[in-house]
Amino acid sequence: MLPETDSVPAADRSARDYLAEYARHQVRTGRGNSTTTQGAKTFMRQWPHPQDWASQPLAYRLAEGSQTTSFLIFLMVHGWLQPGYDYLVSRKLSSFWREVAVSPLAADMDRFRQGAEAIGFTSIQSLRMASQSVGRLLIETNVSLEQLTLDDFDQLARVCRRRGLETGKGWRHYQGALSGAHRVLFHLGILDAPPPHWQQPKSFAARVVDVHPALQPAFVAYLERKTGTCKPKTVTGMATRLVHFGRFLADHDPDLTSLADLDRQRHIEPYLNAVATAINSKNGEPITTADQARRILTISVFFNDVTEWGWKDAPKRRLIFRTDTPRLPRPLPRYLPVDADRRVGEALARSEFRLAADALLLARACGLRIGELLDLELDCVH
């Protein structure tokens, strides 16, 4: 049996305790080298209390050298460091399973994998799902598998979704892992409800969850009102674009609690700038000009509607103008080269389908549009 880790709370430990535990951990696992040992010592000299490191900006945490990766994961799996969900979804935990094998998380991870394989997941699927979902949840919450809740899943999903919007990288692998883990924990009796079917549309309230709580009722009420006059697919598109706007407001001005307090210079113009540089979360490319126009028009219509309806928290003045919408490209139709045009005319002249061929020849000679051509009577051409 492997020796148990000393149960002294993280707050009462010294840098020497962490380094001694890490040295014993390396002996138990038969791993370690002078580089990782020195990396651990350097880290502890700078951060005697590791949890203080977790309060630093994400860019600073991600810049930590590779020589400390093993030591950081060691601290995480022993419950001595909760680095933040933003770090956990941005960093690949390369030595996760090697560190977990002799850590307090081992029993919970084994139980989860056995439960996953019992309901049909393969060994590889359970391995990936465990590290991408439950492993990160247990590290950040520092609780047992039995104590995980749906709120923990929602919080991790929210961070994954936000990362996708900020970086343009998709989060489908995390989304699939969270959904699968949700199903496994339901079958283990830990969660009370199974995950919703992936094709089931979300409620408006669930879709605007990233919007400021004070603005969510207005967004939901507007979308529910539009379901009476617009097709479901149209309202779905509106919801997507309103949520983009709501997330921007939540990040840009967290203190904004009413639409009536929106200001053109302080809120709308920065949003227009953000739309111009927005990234498509599916392919990582800038969104098209047409998509930019749709986002801006949706917000403009939203403001106009709630103002006409007399909502008490409607904007006090017009905020979006016609010139704010980007112009869509209008390419000219491609012309036929002379030799190609000659071949088309000769083919039409030889065609056995005289009615259609003569109609096309007439359109070609007179520059008629298709609609104008179809409106002609059969005996009107001499």
Side-chain angles (χ1 to χ4, degrees):
M1 177 181 293
L2 293 169
E4 294 184 359
T5 301
D6 189 358
S7 59
V8 177
D12 299 331
R13 289 179 174 272
S14 67
R16 182 175 298 178
D17 293 332
Y18 289 117
L19 293 174
E21 290 287 357
Y22 185 52
R24 287 194 287 269
H25 176 77
Q26 289 178 313
V27 172
R28 288 198 298 268
T29 58
R31 299 169 53 242
N33 53 59
S34 58
T35 301
T36 56
T37 301
Q38 186 58 45
K41 292 179 180 179
T42 303
F43 181 85
M44 291 309 304
R45 278 198 299 269
Q46 187 174 4
W47 303 101
H49 303 288
Q51 194 57 38
D52 293 341
W53 173 82
S55 63
Q56 300 303 305
L58 177 61
Y60 181 92
R61 284 172 281 156
L62 292 178
E64 193 67 47
S66 60
Q67 68 275 11
T68 61
T69 300
S70 175
F71 180 61
L72 290 176
I73 297 178
F74 161 76
L75 294 175
M76 294 177 202
V77 299
H78 283 80
W80 299 328
L81 174 62
Q82 292 77 53
Y85 282 128
D86 55 350
Y87 177 86
L88 290 170
V89 301
S90 302
R91 175 67 72 196
K92 183 178 180 181
L93 308 181
S94 55
S95 62
F96 175 79
W97 286 108
R98 293 194 296 270
E99 310 298 344
V100 161
V102 288
S103 77
L105 294 185
D108 279 341
M109 298 302 288
D110 287 342
R111 181 187 176 192
F112 175 83
R113 291 193 61 195
Q114 291 171 9
E117 293 177 24
I119 62 173
F121 289 101
T122 67
S123 177
I124 296 297
Q125 287 174 331
S126 70
L127 187 77
R128 293 174 179 171
M129 185 165 53
S131 63
Q132 291 176 349
S133 59
V134 168
R136 284 166 164 80
L137 288 169
L138 294 179
I139 286 174
E140 186 60 25
T141 59
N142 198 23
V143 300
S144 67
L145 189 68
E146 287 282 348
Q147 295 173 293
L148 289 178
T149 65
L150 285 178
D151 288 339
D152 298 324
F153 277 77
D154 292 340
Q155 189 173 356
L156 179 54
R158 192 176 302 117
V159 174
C160 291
R161 185 163 52 246
R162 188 177 299 277
R163 172 179 174 267
L165 292 172
E166 292 174 351
T167 64
K169 297 179 180 179
W171 65 289
R172 290 186 178 182
H173 57 300
Y174 281 121
Q175 189 175 21
L178 286 170
S179 177
H182 185 164
R183 189 173 302 279
V184 173
L185 295 192
F186 169 72
H187 283 281
L188 290 175
I190 297 174
L191 297 180
D192 296 330
H197 192 276
W198 67 276
Q199 287 184 324
Q200 181 178 348
K202 292 183 179 179
S203 65
F204 293 140
R207 296 195 65 177
V208 302
V209 68
D210 292 334
V211 179
H212 192 289
L215 299 179
Q216 289 180 16
F219 280 50
V220 172
Y222 177 75
L223 293 170
E224 289 176 345
R225 175 63 188 86
K226 298 301 286 188
T227 58
T229 55
C230 300
K231 295 181 179 179
K233 188 175 181 180
T234 302
V235 180
T236 296
M238 290 179 182
T240 299
R241 297 174 194 118
L242 282 176
V243 168
H244 285 308
F245 180 61
R247 288 197 189 110
F248 172 83
L249 292 179
D251 291 336
H252 183 72
D253 186 0
D255 297 328
L256 181 71
T257 58
S258 173
L259 297 175
D261 296 330
L262 284 170
D263 179 76
R264 164 77 186 190
Q265 189 171 9
R266 190 155 54 96
H267 301 110
I268 302 304
E269 291 179 2
Y271 176 68
L272 296 176
N273 295 337
V275 169
T277 58
I279 299 297
N280 189 320
S281 59
K282 293 183 179 180
N283 57 24
E285 300 290 332
I287 63 174
T288 64
T289 304
D291 199 8
Q292 294 177 26
R294 284 190 287 266
R295 291 192 185 189
I296 296 171
L297 286 172
T298 296
I299 304 305
S300 178
V301 172
F302 171 52
F303 291 157
N304 291 340
D305 285 344
V306 298
T307 300
E308 290 180 1
W309 298 344
W311 285 17
K312 63 180 182 180
D313 58 345
K316 298 176 182 178
R317 57 176 292 259
R318 186 176 181 183
L319 297 173
I320 297 180
F321 300 87
R322 181 177 57 83
T323 54
D324 292 327
T325 305
R327 292 186 178 182
L328 300 180
R330 300 182 63 182
L332 294 173
R334 179 183 175 186
Y335 71 92
L336 285 177
V338 176
D339 55 342
D341 180 69
R342 185 182 299 110
R343 290 196 298 272
V344 169
E346 293 172 352
L348 291 175
R350 297 192 303 268
S351 175
E352 297 179 359
F353 302 96
R354 292 314 317 157
L355 181 61
D358 290 338
L360 292 174
L361 286 170
L362 178 64
R364 174 173 168 270
C366 302
L368 292 175
R369 299 183 179 185
I370 293 297
E372 296 170 334
L373 180 64
L374 295 176
D375 287 340
L376 295 177
E377 298 293 339
L378 289 177
D379 60 350
C380 72
V381 178
H382 300 278

